[in-house]
Amino acid sequence: MLYEMQSRSMAPKAILFNRTNTILTQGAEFANIALCDSCAEGDITKLIMTGDHLVVDPAAGLITVRRP
């Protein structure tokens, strides 16, 4: 499904999880989508608010939250 979304230019630039599984990880890899499966600061769903802008740097393992 992720690969199909990517082929139609409908996929997200990155996917952030608190915990993922091998199927989602493999799908993201095949679709060339950055994936984060944990966050050192805590629950990713509580750290990101509506309207926040995110900068994801997979090579550095960093997610930067920019609030308006």
Side-chain angles (χ1 to χ4, degrees):
M1 181 169 72
L2 291 173
Y3 182 78
E4 180 69 21
M5 290 172 67
Q6 186 73 301
S7 70
R8 295 175 185 227
S9 299
M10 298 175 65
K13 299 291 182 187
I15 303 173
L16 309 176
F17 289 101
N18 285 315
R19 200 171 94 184
T20 189
N21 62 45
T22 55
I23 293 172
L24 290 171
T25 302
Q26 186 178 33
E29 178 68 25
F30 286 145
N32 199 28
I33 298 171
L35 183 136
C36 174
D37 71 344
S38 65
C39 183
E41 285 76 23
D43 184 345
I44 195 75
T45 63
K46 291 184 171 71
L47 296 170
I48 301 170
M49 309 301 273
T50 299
D52 286 350
H53 295 270
L54 305 178
V55 177
V56 179
D57 183 349
L62 294 174
I63 301 166
T64 305
V65 179
R66 295 188 179 155
R67 297 222 156 88

